[in-house]
């Protein structure tokens, strides 16, 4: 123990002596402890900021020192952080140090203390710790306020995947607090009764607007929370690249990394830094744009550059580097002053200028020549300042486009943009003779030659064809030449020539010159010899035509045809072929199925005279006939009939007519010889005759049955098939004897008709002879007079109403009929049917029938005027009058009187009803006041006739009385 | 004398309607305000739902409700029926006027907050803006009623004071919730207030 105390004393002494020594050497106070320690809080960053100073330093003295800092949480014994901080210290310099807490500072009380030591090689003897400063306490909770609950940290911004510590501070001890992250409850550790801590590991990015974390008490609706802003990991820029166009400005570009995922909280900044020649004036450039930045090249011809692009946001900093030589990053400007000069028909020169990229640099320029949208020439040229390139082998009168671009010849980086110019080469004379053909017609002794030519192709024309020259050379008179100039769009002309032989030269002309001449000759002899027409079969690819090779000199062949055969402008086409050719295929899109095309093959003689060799005709595709013939039937007999269709135009059918089919329907089950059974499209069965010869236009159908019904139908057929189905014509064969019958019956009918006509014409005569008219009293005009009388009772007595009482038998004698007037009236014989008194005084029998018009006087004077009745009716009324002349005689006086002025009262007219007296002459049985004092009963038709009307009707009445009884 | 009196009487008759100077009938502004309040009432729940939908959990959770969350700067609409019924016209209209004045200012604040917190939600921002304009319109209508009834119009006050700044994001979300909720409550109350006035001052 004594030893120990002695050792301690020795140590303290030594220490003291050392301190004394030090003070002597440094002549400074020895206490180099940190002083004036202050601790402040940055809640937003969860940082503790410490600041202190070391006072006991000499003026201008700098010492390296190390400071040991201790941080404890909740209580001072719970040290959670110890760190040694080395720095150079000056006298009274304020030193600063920061510490970021994982736990929000509001969650717990923190305490800080520190001590210092010299860590300098100059004074190695002073390497010992000073005393600790006192604990500086940081307690944010006390300043929070009186809310029942707090959650920390507020609005923290972290990167995705980082770890975050959260706590709540509750003022109430009773309440249970639950905390949730996006609705999911979190489990934490209790730091003290009021504080709970939650450690979140690897926090995910949920949404741009942040992640809600909230706590609430079980009782009450206290709810508190924070928003944790989790950003995506900030990526470094990609594709960082710099280039210059004019060696004055560098343009650096990059693709920024993906968005950090927060809308406003995290803004990014990009900074460009050149490290090889960093000057104080412009060490770095803060870029205004997110993906590019410009850098002014220094004028001192710095070649190498080392750029650093730094992208930065609140949480992270990212950098990319780029080292390059400026001349290797030249992207030249597009060439300028580009012209196409000296443009001829086949050549052109292109000139241009380039922007210089340094004193000794050369540019490589690329020239492309476009014709009809395709690159036809490509050339590379080295250029300092002025470029020039000759373009050759151009086509005359053609549009071209030339373009040029340039790049650094030695260190290729990028091509400039193209500069383009269009130009058109000049015209040249047409290179080819026009293809000429002719058509010769003979009109009124003249030769009408129609010339056709095909327009030259663009390559052959070498410019715009303005006109065609046609030179006519009369071969018979070689001195005469005739020139015709035809304006350009024309593709032919018509010439009227005499019968002479001509040679025709045709040339095409543009603004520059004339084409070679095309020569064709017209012979004086048209030479249209008859050539047999051959049939040729067409295919989808066209017509394959061949011909026999011609002996002798032939300079070539021409095949000619019309593309629209039915059209007056038949669209003449021709094809030139070499002298060794004997076949060709003629194809055209204009060929249509069912149209007959005619081809003529000409040989061209050495004198350029075409002569017809062969004719061909055919269809590109044959079709079935379009219509059926109109068939006429003749010579119908009981056993046969003849069909003919001579008008049928087989030539106009859409195929070669190979023959005809005749269909015959009959009731007979068997087909006649020469025909065969066939089934029609409507499944009916009939007999079919085949007529193989297409030129046969008549046909006799034989071996038919008399008086039978037949139906026939005729249709042509081509190689493809038959014509359209048509209607059958009906025919019935006549009976075997019917024609004989007709020969007899017809004349008979005629003669009967003749007789009937004759009879009709002579009918009046016949009537008079055979059955003359009998007058009918009922149709007499007197009747109407009677009816108009005042006394309606007056009527005509019907015979059937009379009861005959006597029949007068008349002895009919032929001689009495000679003349009624002359003949004595025959004495009638009266048969008394009723008993009468014998002693009557009247003449003759007493009962008579009388139909008589009379007046009273007459009846008085004539007791019984018997009118002699002739057995036959009188032919004339006059005759009647004359025959009863005794009556007019008796009446004569009264008639005369009646014609005079007779007073009405004097007219002693007595109307007596004609009643049959049952007892004629029996006076006693007469009714009282008998109308007449006649001796005997007479039946009289009593009429009073007005005097004025008395003449002709009375005659009719008299006539009535003449009827036979 | 009589010839002097006659034109005077006539003049009196003519001037009678003018000289009375009757205040404008309160029925018409009440009716207009009532119509507007009814229209606003139809949209308040939509506004609240839209607002909550954009704030994340717990706000967007189904059935979220935190009635104890209040703002000291915003008078609550809840009042006992007896008290409410006993209010005279001046008090009734004064309360509503004060509340909607505060609401217009708070809706402006919430709109600003949401423009910061939810910049990608134009629907919400538009609804908040529309709600503020309607609240202002109702304020104007209420001022017309008070004028018609001869009541003094309270001066406009800055109800927000110092609460606006320094709040955390979560606090701002809560604040917006309270404002949109109270906007609905105050609109409901205004409908009833105006219905009462409408019955009291029939046209």
């Amino acid at each position: 123990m004594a030893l120990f105390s002695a050792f301690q004393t020795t140590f303290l002494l030594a220490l003291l002596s050392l301190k004394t020594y030090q003070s002597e050497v440094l002549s400074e106070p020895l206490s180099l402890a940190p002083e004036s320690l202050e601790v402040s809080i940055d809640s937003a960053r969860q940082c503790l900021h410490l600041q202190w100073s070391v006072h006991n330093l000499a003026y201008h003295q700098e010492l390296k020192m190390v400071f040991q800092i201790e941080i404890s949480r909740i209580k001072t014994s719970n040290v959670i952080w110890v760190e040694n901080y080395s720095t150079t210290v000056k006298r009274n310099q304020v030193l600063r140090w920061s510490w970021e807490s994982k736990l929000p500072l509001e969650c717990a009380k923190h305490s800080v203390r520190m001590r210092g030591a010299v860590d300098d090689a100059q004074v190695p003897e002073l390497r010992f710790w000073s005393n600790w400063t006192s604990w500086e306490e940081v307690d944010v909770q006390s300043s929070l306020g009186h809310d029942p609950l707090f959650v920390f940290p507020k609005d923290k911004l972290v990167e995705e995947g980082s770890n975050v510590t959260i706590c709540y501070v509750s003022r109430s001890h009773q309440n249970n607090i639950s905390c949730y992250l996006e609705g999911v409850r979190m489990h934490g550790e209790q730091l003290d009764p009021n504080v709970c801590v939650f450690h979140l590991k690897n926090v995910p990015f949920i949404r741009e607007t942040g992640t809600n974390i909230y706590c609430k008490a079980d009782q009450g609706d206290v709810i508190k929370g924070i928003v944790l802003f989790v950003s995506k990991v900030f990526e470094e820029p990609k594709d960082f690249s710099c280039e210059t166009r004019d060696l004055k400005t560098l343009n650096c570009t990059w693709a920024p990394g993906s968005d950090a995922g927060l809308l406003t909280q995290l803004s990014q900044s990009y900074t460009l830094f050149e490290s090889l020649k960093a000057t104080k004036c412009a060490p770095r450039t803060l870029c205004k744009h997110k993906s590019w930045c410009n850098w002014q090249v220094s004028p001192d011809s710095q070649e190498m550059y080392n750029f650093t692009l730094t992208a930065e946001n609140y949480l992270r900093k990212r950098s990319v580097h780029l080292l390059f030589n400026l001349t290797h990053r030249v992207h030249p400007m597009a060439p300028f002053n580009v012209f196409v000069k000296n443009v001829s028909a086949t050549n052109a020169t292109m000139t241009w200028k380039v922007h210089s990229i340094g004193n000794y640099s050369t540019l490589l320029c690329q020239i492309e020549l476009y014709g009809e949208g395709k690159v036809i020439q490509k050339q590379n040229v080295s250029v300092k300042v002025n470029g020039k390139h000759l373009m050759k082998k151009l086509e005359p009168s053609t549009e071209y486009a030339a373009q040029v671009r340039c790049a650094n010849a030695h260190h290729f980086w990028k091509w400039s943009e193209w500069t383009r110019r269009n130009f058109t080469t000049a015209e040249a004379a047409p290179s080819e003779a026009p293809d000429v053909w002719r058509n010769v017609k003979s009109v009124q002794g003249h030769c009408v030659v129609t010339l056709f030519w095909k327009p030259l192709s663009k390559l052959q024309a070498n410019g715009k064809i303005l006109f065609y020259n046609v030179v006519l050379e009369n071969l018979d008179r070689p001195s005469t030449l005739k020139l015709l100039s035809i304006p350009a769009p024309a593709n032919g002309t018509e010439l009227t020539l005499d019968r002479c032989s001509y040679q025709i030269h045709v040339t095409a002309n543009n603004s520059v010159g004339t084409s070679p001449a095309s020569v064709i000759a017209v012979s004086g002899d048209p030479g249209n010899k008859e050539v047999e027409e051959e049939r040729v079969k067409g295919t989808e690819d066209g017509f394959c035509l061949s011909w026999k090779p011609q002996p002798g000199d032939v300079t070539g062949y021409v095949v000619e045809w019309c593309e629209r055969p039915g059209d007056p402008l038949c669209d003449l086409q021709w094809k030139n072929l070499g002298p060794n050719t004997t076949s060709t295929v003629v194809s055209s899109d204009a060929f249509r199925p069912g149209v007959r095309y005619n081809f003529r093959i000409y040989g061209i003689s050495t004198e350029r005279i075409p002569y017809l060799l062969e004719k061909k005709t055919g269809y590109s595709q044959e079709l079935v006939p379009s219509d059926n013939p109109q068939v006429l039937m003749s010579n119908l007999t009981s056993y046969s009939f003849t069909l003919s269709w001579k008008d049928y135009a087989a030539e106009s059918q859409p195929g070669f007519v190979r023959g005809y089919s005749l269909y015959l329907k009959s009731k007979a089950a068997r087909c006649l010889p020469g025909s065969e059974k066939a089934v029609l499209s409507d499944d009916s069965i009939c007999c079919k005759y085949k007529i193989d010869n297409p030129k046969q236009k008549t046909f006799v159908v034989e071996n038919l049955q008399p008086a039978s019904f037949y139906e026939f139908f005729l249709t042509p057929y081509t190689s493809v098939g038959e014509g359209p189905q048509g209607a059958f014509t009906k025919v019935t064969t006549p009976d075997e004897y019917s024609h004989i019958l007709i020969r007899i019956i017809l004349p008979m009918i005629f003669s009967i008709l003749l007789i009937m006509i004759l009879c009709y014409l002579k009918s009046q005569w016949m009537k008079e002879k055979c059955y003359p008219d009998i007058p009918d009293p009922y149709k007499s005009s007197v009747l109407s007079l009677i009816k108009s009388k005042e006394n309606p009772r007056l009527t005509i007595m019907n015979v059937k109403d009379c009861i005959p009482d006597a029949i007068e038998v008349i002895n009919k004698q032929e001689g009495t009929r000679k003349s009624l007037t002359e003949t004595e009236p025959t004495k009638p014989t009266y048969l008394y049917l009723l008993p009468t008194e014998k002693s009557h005084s009247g003449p003759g029998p007493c009962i008579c029938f009388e139909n008589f018009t009379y007046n009273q006087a007459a009846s008085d004077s004539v007791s019984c005027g018997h009118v002699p009745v002739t057995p036959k009716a009188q032919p004339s009324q006059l005759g009647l009058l004359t025959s009863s002349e005794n009556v007019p005689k008796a009446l004569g006086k009264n008639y005369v009187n009646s014609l005079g002025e007779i007073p009405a009262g004097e007219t002693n007219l007595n109307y007596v009803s004609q009643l049959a007296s049952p007892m004629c002459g029996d006076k006693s049985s007469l009714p009282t006041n008998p109308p007449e004092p006649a001796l005997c009963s007479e039946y009289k038709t009593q009429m009073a006739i007005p005097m004025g009307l008395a003449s002709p009707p009375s005659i009719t009445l008299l006539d009535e009385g003449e009827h036979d009884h | 004398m009589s010839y002097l009196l006659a034109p005077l009487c006539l003049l009196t008759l003519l001037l009678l309607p003018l000289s009375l100077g009757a205040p404008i009938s309160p029925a018409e502004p009440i009716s207009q305000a009532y119509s507007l309040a009814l229209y606003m009432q139809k949209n308040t729940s939509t506004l609240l739902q839209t607002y909550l939908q954009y704030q994340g959990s717990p706000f967007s959770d189904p059935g979220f409700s935190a009635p104890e969350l209040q703002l000291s700067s915003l008078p609550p609409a809840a009042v006992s029926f007896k008290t409410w019924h006993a209010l005279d016209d001046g008090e009734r209209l004064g309360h509503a006027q004060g509340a909607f004045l505060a609401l217009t200012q708070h809706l402006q604040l919430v709109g600003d907050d949401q423009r910061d917190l939810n910049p990608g939600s134009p629907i919400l921002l538009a609804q908040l803006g529309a709600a503020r304009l309607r609240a202002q319109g109702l304020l104007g209508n209420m001022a017309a009623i008070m004028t018609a009834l001869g009541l003094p119009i309270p001066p406009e006050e800055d109800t927000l004071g110092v609460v606006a700044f320094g709040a955390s994001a979560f606090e701002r979300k809560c604040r917006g919730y309270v404002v949109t909720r109270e906007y609905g409550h105050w609109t409901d109350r205004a409908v009833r207030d105006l219905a009462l006035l409408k019955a009291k001052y029939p046209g």
Side-chain angles (χ1 to χ4, degrees), chain A residues 454-506:
Chain A
K454 294 175 184 169
L456 291 175
S457 72
K458 207 182 163 198
L459 270 179
Q460 296 165 338
N462 286 342
K464 189 184 177 188
I465 299 297
L466 301 175
F467 57 91
Y468 294 89
N469 277 342
V470 178
V471 178
L472 303 174
E473 184 184 356
N474 192 330
L475 295 176
D476 298 336
R477 284 177 288 171
S479 59
T480 52
L481 279 176
K482 193 178 174 189
L483 172 69
L484 297 169
S485 190
I486 293 142
N491 56 0
T493 185
E494 194 171 89
L495 310 167
T496 306
L497 308 173
D498 50 24
R499 276 282 170 190
C500 303
S501 299
Y502 278 89
Q503 200 169 47
I504 303 168
H505 305 252
V506 181

Side-chain angles (χ1 to χ4, degrees), chain A residues 38-56:
Chain A
E38 289 176 21
V39 181
S40 59
I41 290 176
D42 182 351
S43 283
R45 291 176 178 258
Q46 294 182 201
C47 279
L48 285 179
H49 299 298
L50 277 64
Q51 66 176 44
W52 69 95
S53 56
V54 180
H55 296 302
N56 295 335

Side-chain angles (χ1 to χ4, degrees), chain A residues 154-155 182-183 207 209-210 212-214 220-227 229 263-265, chain B residues 55-59 61 64 66-69 116-120 167-171 173:
Chain A
K154 287 184 176 177
D155 300 351
E182 288 293 317
R207 69 178 75 83
T209 53
N212 286 351
I213 295 165
Y214 65 96
D221 282 331
V222 176
I223 183 165
K224 288 281 180 170
I226 58 164
V227 179
F229 294 99
L263 292 166
T264 52
Q265 282 75 8
Chain B
Q55 308 311 317
S57 179
F59 306 99
D61 295 344
F64 170 78
E68 294 205 353
L69 278 181
D116 187 25
L117 293 171
N118 283 303
S168 74
F170 196 85
E171 284 164 351
K173 288 181 177 186

